[in-house]
Structures are given as C-alpha cells and as structure tokens.
Amino acid sequence: MSGLVYERVHHNLETLKLTTIKEMLDNSLEHAAKEGKSTLEILDYLLEQEVKSKQDHALSIRMRMASFPVEKRLEDFDVGFQPSLDPLIIKDLASLRFIHNAENVVFLGPPGVGKTHLAVALGYEAVKQGFRVYYANASQLIERLMKANRENKLEEKIKALTKFHLLIIDEMGYLPFTSEGAHCFFQLISRRYEKSSTIFTSNKSFGEWGEIFGDHVIAAAVLDRILHHCTTLNIKGDSYRLKERRRQGLIPHV
C-alpha cells in the first residue's frame, strides 16, 4: 500500500467517523498478513468492531439520558419473597411487549416491597434493547413541569418528554401535587396517552389518587388514560429493607 493510499484511507475513515476501524487498521493489516487473511475477512472483522463500538457508545448515551438513580436488574429481584407477584406477569413485562404496544404499568404497594426496583429494572432492560427511557421522581418531575409552565416553556418540556419510549414516574403519592402541578401532569399524561409507555410506582391505592392531585376530577381523568391500556401489580408483602435488617440482626424476627 503506497503512502498516498494509506493517508487517503485514514483521512476517509476520519471523515466518515469510522474511528474504531481507523485505530485498528494498522494492527489488523499486520495480523492479516501473518495469518494470510483475505481482504474481505479483514473488512468483515473491522466493520464488525466498528458496529459494536457504535452500539456500545449509543447504549452509554441512552443510559446516561435515562437518569436512573441506581442500577437495578430483573434477575436480582427475588420474586419468591413477594408471593403476591405472578412470575408469568413479570416475565411478560420483561419481554417489553408493553412498550411496543404503548401500554402502561403501575406498581402499587407499601414502601420497600420492590416497586422502584422493578420499575428501574424494566427501564434498564428497555435501554439495552434500544429504547429511549427517562426516570423521574414524581415530585421532582412536577417541580420541573411547573417551572417550565411559569417560564412559558411547558409545551417544550412536554414535547421533550413525549420523545421517550418509556417514562418512569416513581413515588406517586409521597407528596401531594398543587393545583398547578396537577394540571401540568394531566397535560403530560394526555400527550403520552396511546403513543408511548409509562411506568408508575405508588404507595397509594387508585382510590386515594384524588388526595395526590387535590382534585378527584383530575385524578379520575388521569387514571382513565393510564388504566385504559395498563398492567397493574399490587404488591402485598414484606419490605426488602426490613428483611435485610432482620438478616443482619438489627431488628427482631416476628
């Protein structure tokens, strides 16, 4: 290979942003010469490495964009500890069919039973499968929506949130919404309705959501849109955190 051709190849690889091939080219050519590899075999290997590199980079970006508070995986969730959960339903959710169908998921139950773990784990799996995911604590999300509303940027904020295939809204009900917050939240849910999926976690039963919104009419309208295409799992079991504290002997067994 002449110096001119070599320089042109490197220049074109850089122009096309094929940085992995550019970095691996010299060693691959040397290895191919020693092993007697064909040009097609070299090209196949280099392209495969470039694709893998770009996929890994895209995955890293999606993970950062998701803003998960912690890393949780479905395989680490002890379904056997929560007998109220049907393993077949968890398996179906893990297939991510609900995202393809723009359906919602609601995890209800007291603190510590694994609602956030399951929500984040499903989000983590969705990111790995190429979906755009965003996690938000409910109270923090409401604050951001209200701030955008006061700055006349609510439409822009909602439009940005509708671009995610899966939105995870955690801890619905721990703090009540103001009237402004409830109306902003309703607009968000309405825009995502039948277009994309949302996972909710809450320590409140649906009958208590009127207290969250401070308005039973808005609560009913929100629930109508959420539950139209939805899988609801009511987790009735012990707290994982208490289980761990018992295991460590920090609290007595009862």
Side-chain angles (χ1 to χ4, degrees):
M1 182 186 297
S2 70
L4 181 60
V5 171
Y6 179 83
E7 291 298 326
R8 186 166 64 244
V9 167
H10 270 265
H11 173 74
N12 287 336
L13 289 173
E14 187 171 342
T15 301
L16 293 170
K17 294 182 170 55
L18 300 175
T19 54
T20 299
I21 293 180
K22 183 173 179 289
E23 293 169 359
M24 298 181 66
L25 183 61
D26 291 354
N27 287 337
S28 296
L29 290 174
E30 290 178 11
H31 179 73
K34 292 178 182 178
E35 299 292 327
K37 299 287 186 181
S38 69
T39 302
L40 188 59
E41 287 175 316
I42 301 171
L43 183 59
D44 176 55
Y45 173 74
L46 289 173
L47 288 172
E48 184 179 22
Q49 297 306 307
E50 184 69 46
V51 169
K52 183 178 183 304
S53 175
K54 291 190 182 305
Q55 288 175 337
D56 290 345
H57 180 64
L59 174 61
S60 177
I61 291 175
R62 291 197 304 276
M63 282 294 180
R64 290 199 302 271
M65 188 183 302
S67 300
F68 295 130
V70 289
E71 181 180 310
K72 296 291 185 180
R73 299 172 184 269
L74 284 171
E75 55 264 33
D76 297 327
F77 187 84
D78 185 3
V79 179
F81 184 70
Q82 300 296 7
S84 63
L85 285 174
D86 185 341
L88 292 178
I89 294 179
I90 300 300
K91 184 178 180 180
D92 181 61
L93 291 175
S95 73
L96 305 181
R97 183 173 59 88
F98 74 98
I99 300 180
H100 290 283
N101 295 335
E103 298 171 349
N104 302 317
V105 179
V106 180
F107 293 109
L108 300 176
V113 295
K115 302 185 300 296
T116 298
H117 184 138
L118 286 169
V120 171
L122 287 171
Y124 189 85
E125 186 62 32
V127 169
K128 290 198 299 180
Q129 295 301 319
F131 292 106
R132 294 189 301 277
V133 179
Y134 184 70
Y135 167 95
N137 173 276
S139 297
Q140 293 174 351
L141 176 62
I142 291 297
E143 287 296 326
R144 292 169 193 156
L145 290 173
M146 290 193 300
K147 182 176 184 292
N149 187 47
R150 292 162 189 166
E151 295 173 351
N152 295 316
K153 295 180 179 178
L154 181 60
E155 176 62 26
E156 180 182 333
K157 183 67 174 177
I158 290 178
K159 186 176 180 180
L161 289 170
T162 57
K163 292 181 180 179
F164 291 101
H165 299 109
L166 174 63
L167 176 62
I168 301 171
I169 304 178
D170 197 17
E171 298 188 334
M172 290 279 298
Y174 283 85
L175 291 173
F177 299 166
T178 64
S179 176
E180 179 189 11
H183 281 85
C184 290
F185 189 82
F186 172 74
Q187 291 184 61
L188 171 64
I189 298 304
S190 295
R191 288 286 292 276
R192 290 182 60 83
Y193 175 58
E194 293 191 321
K195 295 183 179 68
S196 45
S197 298
T198 307
I199 294 178
F200 303 84
T201 76
S202 179
N203 64 330
K204 301 285 189 183
S205 67
F206 292 135
E208 298 174 291
W209 278 37
E211 300 172 12
I212 300 175
F213 290 90
D215 186 318
H216 288 277
V217 175
I218 292 182
V222 168
L223 283 170
D224 182 60
R225 287 158 177 78
I226 291 173
L227 299 179
H228 186 199
H229 309 287
C230 183
T231 298
T232 300
L233 292 93
N234 196 344
I235 309 175
K236 301 175 181 178
D238 294 329
S239 166
Y240 281 96
R241 289 188 283 272
L242 291 181
K243 171 191 175 186
E244 183 61 20
R245 288 172 68 84
R246 288 194 186 98
R247 189 185 67 80
Q248 296 173 355
L250 298 176
I251 57 174
H253 290 268
V254 290

Short mmCIF file of all heavy atoms in Angstrom, two decimals, residues 115-140:
data_model
loop_
_atom_site.label_atom_id
_atom_site.label_comp_id
_atom_site.label_asym_id
_atom_site.label_seq_id
_atom_site.Cartn_x
_atom_site.Cartn_y
_atom_site.Cartn_z
N LYS A 115 -41.08 -1.92 44.39
CA LYS A 115 -41.71 -1.22 43.27
C LYS A 115 -40.68 -0.50 42.41
O LYS A 115 -40.66 -0.63 41.18
CB LYS A 115 -42.73 -0.19 43.79
CG LYS A 115 -43.83 -0.77 44.66
CD LYS A 115 -44.87 0.25 45.05
CE LYS A 115 -44.30 1.42 45.84
NZ LYS A 115 -43.75 1.01 47.15
N THR A 116 -39.81 0.27 43.05
CA THR A 116 -38.79 1.02 42.30
C THR A 116 -37.80 0.07 41.63
O THR A 116 -37.38 0.30 40.50
CB THR A 116 -38.05 2.00 43.22
OG1 THR A 116 -38.99 2.96 43.74
CG2 THR A 116 -36.95 2.73 42.47
N HIS A 117 -37.44 -1.01 42.33
CA HIS A 117 -36.52 -2.00 41.75
C HIS A 117 -37.08 -2.52 40.43
O HIS A 117 -36.37 -2.53 39.41
CB HIS A 117 -36.31 -3.15 42.74
CG HIS A 117 -35.31 -4.16 42.27
ND1 HIS A 117 -34.37 -4.73 43.10
CD2 HIS A 117 -35.08 -4.72 41.04
CE1 HIS A 117 -33.62 -5.59 42.42
NE2 HIS A 117 -34.05 -5.60 41.16
N LEU A 118 -38.34 -2.93 40.43
CA LEU A 118 -38.94 -3.48 39.22
C LEU A 118 -39.04 -2.43 38.12
O LEU A 118 -38.76 -2.71 36.94
CB LEU A 118 -40.32 -4.05 39.54
CG LEU A 118 -40.33 -5.37 40.31
CD1 LEU A 118 -41.74 -5.69 40.79
CD2 LEU A 118 -39.79 -6.51 39.44
N ALA A 119 -39.44 -1.22 38.50
CA ALA A 119 -39.60 -0.15 37.50
C ALA A 119 -38.27 0.18 36.84
O ALA A 119 -38.17 0.26 35.61
CB ALA A 119 -40.18 1.10 38.16
N VAL A 120 -37.23 0.36 37.65
CA VAL A 120 -35.91 0.70 37.12
C VAL A 120 -35.33 -0.47 36.32
O VAL A 120 -34.72 -0.28 35.27
CB VAL A 120 -34.95 1.12 38.25
CG1 VAL A 120 -33.52 1.27 37.73
CG2 VAL A 120 -35.41 2.44 38.87
N ALA A 121 -35.54 -1.70 36.81
CA ALA A 121 -35.02 -2.88 36.12
C ALA A 121 -35.64 -3.02 34.73
O ALA A 121 -34.96 -3.35 33.76
CB ALA A 121 -35.27 -4.14 36.94
N LEU A 122 -36.94 -2.76 34.62
CA LEU A 122 -37.59 -2.80 33.31
C LEU A 122 -37.06 -1.68 32.42
O LEU A 122 -36.84 -1.88 31.22
CB LEU A 122 -39.11 -2.66 33.47
CG LEU A 122 -39.84 -3.88 34.02
CD1 LEU A 122 -41.29 -3.54 34.33
CD2 LEU A 122 -39.78 -5.04 33.03
N GLY A 123 -36.81 -0.51 33.02
CA GLY A 123 -36.23 0.59 32.25
C GLY A 123 -34.83 0.26 31.78
O GLY A 123 -34.45 0.57 30.64
N TYR A 124 -34.06 -0.38 32.64
CA TYR A 124 -32.68 -0.77 32.30
C TYR A 124 -32.68 -1.75 31.12
O TYR A 124 -31.89 -1.61 30.19
CB TYR A 124 -32.04 -1.41 33.53
CG TYR A 124 -30.56 -1.68 33.40
CD1 TYR A 124 -29.62 -0.69 33.68
CD2 TYR A 124 -30.09 -2.93 33.00
CE1 TYR A 124 -28.26 -0.94 33.56
CE2 TYR A 124 -28.74 -3.19 32.89
CZ TYR A 124 -27.83 -2.19 33.17
OH TYR A 124 -26.49 -2.44 33.04
N GLU A 125 -33.61 -2.70 31.16
CA GLU A 125 -33.71 -3.68 30.07
C GLU A 125 -34.14 -2.99 28.78
O GLU A 125 -33.66 -3.31 27.69
CB GLU A 125 -34.71 -4.78 30.44
CG GLU A 125 -34.78 -5.92 29.45
CD GLU A 125 -33.47 -6.68 29.32
OE1 GLU A 125 -32.72 -6.78 30.32
OE2 GLU A 125 -33.19 -7.17 28.21
N ALA A 126 -35.04 -2.02 28.90
CA ALA A 126 -35.51 -1.29 27.73
C ALA A 126 -34.38 -0.50 27.08
O ALA A 126 -34.27 -0.45 25.85
CB ALA A 126 -36.65 -0.35 28.12
N VAL A 127 -33.54 0.11 27.89
CA VAL A 127 -32.39 0.85 27.35
C VAL A 127 -31.48 -0.09 26.58
O VAL A 127 -31.02 0.22 25.48
CB VAL A 127 -31.61 1.54 28.48
CG1 VAL A 127 -30.27 2.09 27.96
CG2 VAL A 127 -32.42 2.69 29.07
N LYS A 128 -31.24 -1.27 27.14
CA LYS A 128 -30.37 -2.25 26.47
C LYS A 128 -30.95 -2.69 25.13
O LYS A 128 -30.21 -3.04 24.21
CB LYS A 128 -30.15 -3.47 27.37
CG LYS A 128 -29.29 -3.20 28.59
CD LYS A 128 -28.75 -4.49 29.19
CE LYS A 128 -29.84 -5.39 29.65
NZ LYS A 128 -29.32 -6.66 30.25
N GLN A 129 -32.29 -2.68 25.03
CA GLN A 129 -32.95 -3.10 23.80
C GLN A 129 -33.12 -1.96 22.80
O GLN A 129 -33.75 -2.13 21.76
CB GLN A 129 -34.31 -3.71 24.13
CG GLN A 129 -34.24 -5.00 24.93
CD GLN A 129 -33.47 -6.09 24.23
OE1 GLN A 129 -33.59 -6.28 23.02
NE2 GLN A 129 -32.66 -6.81 24.99
N GLY A 130 -32.55 -0.79 23.12
CA GLY A 130 -32.55 0.31 22.16
C GLY A 130 -33.63 1.36 22.35
O GLY A 130 -33.73 2.30 21.57
N PHE A 131 -34.44 1.23 23.41
CA PHE A 131 -35.49 2.22 23.66
C PHE A 131 -34.93 3.44 24.41
O PHE A 131 -34.00 3.32 25.21
CB PHE A 131 -36.61 1.60 24.50
CG PHE A 131 -37.40 0.54 23.79
CD1 PHE A 131 -37.24 -0.80 24.10
CD2 PHE A 131 -38.31 0.88 22.79
CE1 PHE A 131 -37.97 -1.79 23.46
CE2 PHE A 131 -39.04 -0.09 22.13
CZ PHE A 131 -38.88 -1.43 22.46
N ARG A 132 -35.55 4.58 24.16
CA ARG A 132 -35.21 5.79 24.90
C ARG A 132 -36.06 5.82 26.18
O ARG A 132 -37.29 5.75 26.12
CB ARG A 132 -35.47 7.04 24.07
CG ARG A 132 -34.55 7.17 22.86
CD ARG A 132 -34.71 8.54 22.19
NE ARG A 132 -36.08 8.77 21.74
CZ ARG A 132 -36.58 8.33 20.60
NH1 ARG A 132 -35.82 7.63 19.77
NH2 ARG A 132 -37.84 8.59 20.26
N VAL A 133 -35.39 5.92 27.32
CA VAL A 133 -36.05 5.82 28.62
C VAL A 133 -35.66 7.01 29.48
O VAL A 133 -34.53 7.51 29.40
CB VAL A 133 -35.64 4.50 29.34
CG1 VAL A 133 -36.31 4.39 30.70
CG2 VAL A 133 -35.99 3.29 28.47
N TYR A 134 -36.60 7.45 30.32
CA TYR A 134 -36.28 8.52 31.27
C TYR A 134 -36.95 8.23 32.60
O TYR A 134 -38.14 7.91 32.65
CB TYR A 134 -36.77 9.87 30.74
CG TYR A 134 -36.39 11.03 31.63
CD1 TYR A 134 -35.06 11.44 31.73
CD2 TYR A 134 -37.35 11.72 32.36
CE1 TYR A 134 -34.70 12.50 32.53
CE2 TYR A 134 -37.00 12.79 33.18
CZ TYR A 134 -35.68 13.17 33.26
OH TYR A 134 -35.32 14.22 34.07
N TYR A 135 -36.16 8.31 33.66
CA TYR A 135 -36.65 8.10 35.03
C TYR A 135 -36.80 9.44 35.73
O TYR A 135 -35.94 10.32 35.61
CB TYR A 135 -35.68 7.22 35.83
CG TYR A 135 -35.96 7.22 37.32
CD1 TYR A 135 -36.75 6.23 37.89
CD2 TYR A 135 -35.46 8.23 38.14
CE1 TYR A 135 -37.02 6.23 39.25
CE2 TYR A 135 -35.74 8.23 39.50
CZ TYR A 135 -36.52 7.25 40.05
OH TYR A 135 -36.79 7.27 41.39
N ALA A 136 -37.89 9.60 36.50
CA ALA A 136 -38.07 10.82 37.28
C ALA A 136 -38.85 10.52 38.55
O ALA A 136 -39.83 9.77 38.53
CB ALA A 136 -38.80 11.89 36.46
N ASN A 137 -38.42 11.09 39.65
CA ASN A 137 -39.21 11.08 40.86
C ASN A 137 -40.43 11.98 40.63
O ASN A 137 -40.31 13.06 40.04
CB ASN A 137 -38.37 11.61 42.02
CG ASN A 137 -39.16 11.81 43.29
OD1 ASN A 137 -39.81 12.83 43.48
ND2 ASN A 137 -39.10 10.83 44.17
N ALA A 138 -41.61 11.55 41.05
CA ALA A 138 -42.84 12.28 40.75
C ALA A 138 -42.79 13.73 41.22
O ALA A 138 -43.15 14.65 40.47
CB ALA A 138 -44.04 11.56 41.39
N SER A 139 -42.36 13.95 42.45
CA SER A 139 -42.32 15.32 42.99
C SER A 139 -41.36 16.21 42.20
O SER A 139 -41.67 17.37 41.90
CB SER A 139 -41.93 15.29 44.46
OG SER A 139 -42.89 14.59 45.22
N GLN A 140 -40.20 15.66 41.86
CA GLN A 140 -39.21 16.43 41.10
C GLN A 140 -39.73 16.71 39.70
O GLN A 140 -39.51 17.81 39.15
CB GLN A 140 -37.89 15.68 41.05
CG GLN A 140 -37.21 15.55 42.41
CD GLN A 140 -35.97 14.68 42.38
OE1 GLN A 140 -35.69 14.02 41.38
NE2 GLN A 140 -35.23 14.66 43.48
#
